[in-house]
Amino acid sequence: MSTKATTVSAQTLVSNAVPSAKLPQYLAALTATIGGFCLGTVLGWTSPVLTSLSDYYGFEVNQDSQAWIGSIMAIGAMIGCLPVSWMMDNFGRKSTIIILTVPTVIAWLMIVWAPSVSIICLARFILGFTTGAYAVAVPLYTSEISENEIRGTLGTYFQLQLTIGITTAYILGSLLPIFWMTLTCGIIPIVLALAMFLVPETPTYYLKKFRVDEARKALQWFRGSHYDVEPELMLLKANLDQMEAERVPFTQAFVTRPAKRGLVVGLGVMFFQQFSGVNAVIFYAESIFKAAGSSMSPSLQTIIVGLIMVVMTWVATLAIDRAGRRPLLLISASIMAICTAVLGTFFLLLEKTPDFAKSIGSVPIVSLSLFVIVFSLGFGPIPWMFMSEIFPPQIKGQACSIACFFNWFSVFMVTKFFSDLQLKFGSYGTFWIFSGISVAGTFFVFNLVPETKGKSMEEIQKELGGAPQITPEDRMENGEKSAKF
């Protein structure tokens, strides 16, 4: 690598006579986000099978065991968030995704031939570990291969594939015996691994390892053979140099006002995302519909909810940059509060006046469908988007790991103790608790969450109480030097 320096403006860096190819980026993002599909099948698997596990395995799977089977994957995901950064830095983003498929497939096979509840729980823990790691590795891979103008679109693919995976698990559960359903879920990670061999590693990883020629080749693949990648390669290197220069020890990472306020906002939206009760709905959807006693098949109602989630997640990708973050979050939280309140009232009527409740048996699917619609528009995708927007660059990696860990901890708390809440407070009391939390979430968003739509990192940090950040582009426009490759 040449050390000869040159003065270049940001405009010069991003100008290019031949436009880049977008198709390779779309294909690579769709390939990597099969990891989101894998996570979706893990999340959705419990809903159609929990009440039938005893019949399939021939040993008792009681309500407490069902709660552990549903929730222990979240513990695995919490732990999986921690070492994945080390794996990505040492083996690469692409290689990490491929490596993770091996224990994922083994865990699915353990479930297929599990001799006891403890083995099922162990397998679900492993699946949580690997798919929790996917939740970190896949979005990072997608972000690092994408151009700015399509990064938002490609960034939504993970959430979209996750919802497709959940719905696929619902459909497979209604059509296939547990054996074939579980085996099919175990094949999907193999497809991911084979497909990942066809796409390159990210240029950013190669640059961090000083493998410039390989970074150039990878970037050329993503941008097309006729595109001049040198200006973008220089800008990538300048960004990495700035991040390295601004790296701070972990103990000093969160002492500034914008960092602390950003962490409050980040953890807050993650808390309200999970304690709205969404994963209780996903994990136990079919059980909820069975308890409601609707004339429509519980499995069909569950599939309908899953399909609505897929469609509305796609709609959210179009609405987020138009409507803004705060309005969608406020609409999402307030309507989720109404939906869970209505659902709680229905279950109270089911207990007190069962004949009347069964005459309005469509209420659960209408309430949960509307819940899923507004969740998918707001509190589903937006908390993950905030992670890349509200944290200063020098602490973004650490802050995102903390937020991811906290999110999966919240998943575990909700899914593990959902059954306990039902036993103590009844189904109606449980959903009223979720409703109260969503009301609190509405006030939280209104008072503390900033609007980030259309704002630069500097503007967001200033709103959070920090000094403006100086970017590599700013330095280049001011005539500072950047190394040329």
Side-chain angles (χ1 to χ4, degrees):
M1 181 173 65
S2 171
T3 58
K4 182 181 177 181
T6 182
T7 302
V8 60
S9 70
Q11 181 62 38
T12 302
L13 281 175
V14 297
S15 64
N16 207 303
V18 179
S20 63
K22 301 296 189 293
L23 182 60
Q25 299 173 63
Y26 283 110
L27 291 176
L30 286 171
T31 297
T33 53
I34 296 174
F37 191 101
C38 294
L39 173 56
T41 58
V42 174
L43 291 171
W45 179 84
T46 54
S47 180
V49 307
L50 269 185
T51 57
S52 305
L53 290 178
S54 294
D55 295 335
Y56 170 67
Y57 287 109
F59 50 78
E60 182 184 6
V61 183
N62 58 33
Q63 192 171 28
D64 184 62
S65 296
Q66 291 177 14
W68 275 110
I69 290 170
S71 61
I72 198 169
M73 67 83 54
I75 299 178
M78 287 166 54
I79 299 173
C81 290
L82 303 179
V84 69
S85 296
W86 177 86
M87 291 177 65
M88 290 188 296
D89 285 342
N90 285 274
F91 304 123
R93 287 74 163 128
K94 169 184 170 178
S95 296
T96 295
I97 294 171
I98 293 172
I99 291 168
L100 289 169
T101 61
V102 176
T104 305
V105 173
I106 292 173
W108 279 118
L109 294 178
M110 289 170 63
I111 292 177
V112 170
W113 288 289
S116 65
V117 170
S118 60
I119 296 300
I120 300 175
C121 288
L122 175 61
R124 290 279 296 171
F125 175 85
I126 296 171
L127 286 173
F129 182 96
T130 57
T131 54
Y134 282 147
V136 178
V138 171
L140 180 63
Y141 179 91
T142 304
S143 174
E144 290 185 353
I145 67 168
S146 308
E147 288 181 284
N148 289 338
E149 56 264 38
I150 61 172
R151 182 170 292 129
T153 299
L154 300 189
T156 62
Y157 283 5
F158 182 82
Q159 179 76 9
L160 183 60
Q161 291 250 42
L162 186 150
T163 60
I164 294 173
I166 291 171
T167 308
T168 299
Y170 290 167
I171 295 173
L172 291 175
S174 69
L175 298 176
L176 300 176
I178 292 177
F179 175 87
W180 291 109
M181 175 206 178
T182 307
L183 201 61
T184 302
C185 290
I187 292 172
I188 297 169
I190 299 175
V191 174
L192 170 61
L194 294 176
M196 285 301 296
F197 280 110
L198 303 178
V199 297
E201 179 58 81
T202 72
T204 299
Y205 169 75
Y206 282 136
L207 287 176
K208 291 181 74 170
K209 295 297 181 180
F210 307 105
R211 295 157 65 176
V212 179
D213 289 338
E214 290 167 282
R216 182 178 290 107
K217 291 177 183 177
L219 192 58
Q220 197 76 67
W221 191 95
F222 290 119
R223 302 295 184 261
S225 57
H226 300 294
Y227 184 78
D228 180 12
V229 299
E230 294 303 321
E232 186 174 354
L233 204 62
M234 293 173 64
L235 187 54
L236 279 174
K237 180 62 167 61
N239 277 305
L240 288 174
D241 288 344
Q242 180 185 3
M243 289 179 64
E244 187 61 33
E246 294 177 345
R247 187 183 299 274
V248 294
F250 182 82
T251 54
Q252 300 177 20
F254 300 101
V255 296
T256 65
R257 176 178 171 81
K260 288 188 285 190
R261 188 177 173 195
L263 194 63
V264 169
V265 171
L267 296 184
V269 293
M270 288 297 190
F271 173 86
F272 291 111
Q273 180 194 66
Q274 294 304 326
F275 282 87
S276 67
V278 63
N279 270 309
V281 170
I282 292 172
F283 278 54
Y284 302 107
E286 190 160 331
S287 301
I288 292 169
F289 289 133
K290 282 182 179 179
S294 170
S295 58
M296 188 183 296
S297 163
S299 61
L300 178 58
Q301 293 181 83
T302 303
I303 291 169
I304 291 172
V305 170
L307 291 173
I308 291 172
M309 190 184 305
V310 172
V311 172
M312 296 313 300
T313 301
W314 176 75
V315 171
T317 67
L318 307 177
I320 285 174
D321 283 326
R322 297 181 181 181
R325 281 60 158 158
R326 269 173 55 88
L328 288 177
L329 287 174
L330 288 169
I331 292 169
S332 181
S334 57
I335 297 181
M336 283 193 300
I338 295 171
C339 291
T340 45
V342 169
L343 197 59
T345 302
F346 174 84
F347 277 106
L348 179 63
L349 293 173
L350 189 64
E351 182 177 311
K352 303 296 183 181
T353 57
D355 291 337
F356 174 71
K358 289 180 180 179
S359 70
I360 55 171
S362 60
V363 167
I365 189 169
V366 172
S367 297
L368 289 185
S369 296
L370 184 56
F371 178 96
V372 166
I373 287 172
V374 295
F375 177 84
S376 300
L377 284 174
F379 265 95
I382 291 177
W384 296 107
M385 290 187 64
F386 267 137
M387 296 305 98
S388 63
E389 293 182 327
I390 62 174
F391 295 124
Q394 59 268 35
I395 68 163
K396 187 170 292 185
Q398 296 163 324
C400 287
S401 294
I402 292 171
C404 184
F405 180 91
F406 179 76
N407 184 275
W408 283 112
F409 173 76
S410 301
V411 172
F412 167 75
M413 294 295 291
V414 172
T415 53
K416 173 63 179 74
F417 296 107
F418 176 70
S419 297
D420 294 336
L421 286 173
Q422 282 184 309
L423 290 174
K424 186 171 181 62
F425 301 106
S427 293
Y428 61 90
T430 301
F431 282 102
W432 284 345
I433 290 172
F434 290 146
S435 179
I437 292 173
S438 292
V439 170
T442 305
F443 285 99
F444 177 85
V445 172
F446 185 80
N447 289 292
L448 293 177
V449 175
E451 178 58 72
T452 59
K453 183 190 78 167
K455 295 180 180 178
S456 66
M457 175 64 71
E458 294 72 34
E459 291 171 326
I460 294 170
Q461 292 306 301
K462 186 175 182 180
E463 187 169 344
L464 291 172
Q469 304 288 312
I470 300 176
T471 66
E473 293 94 330
D474 295 331
R475 290 193 175 101
M476 292 173 181
E477 287 179 342
N478 289 332
E480 295 185 25
K481 296 181 178 181
S482 173
K484 183 178 180 180
F485 296 102

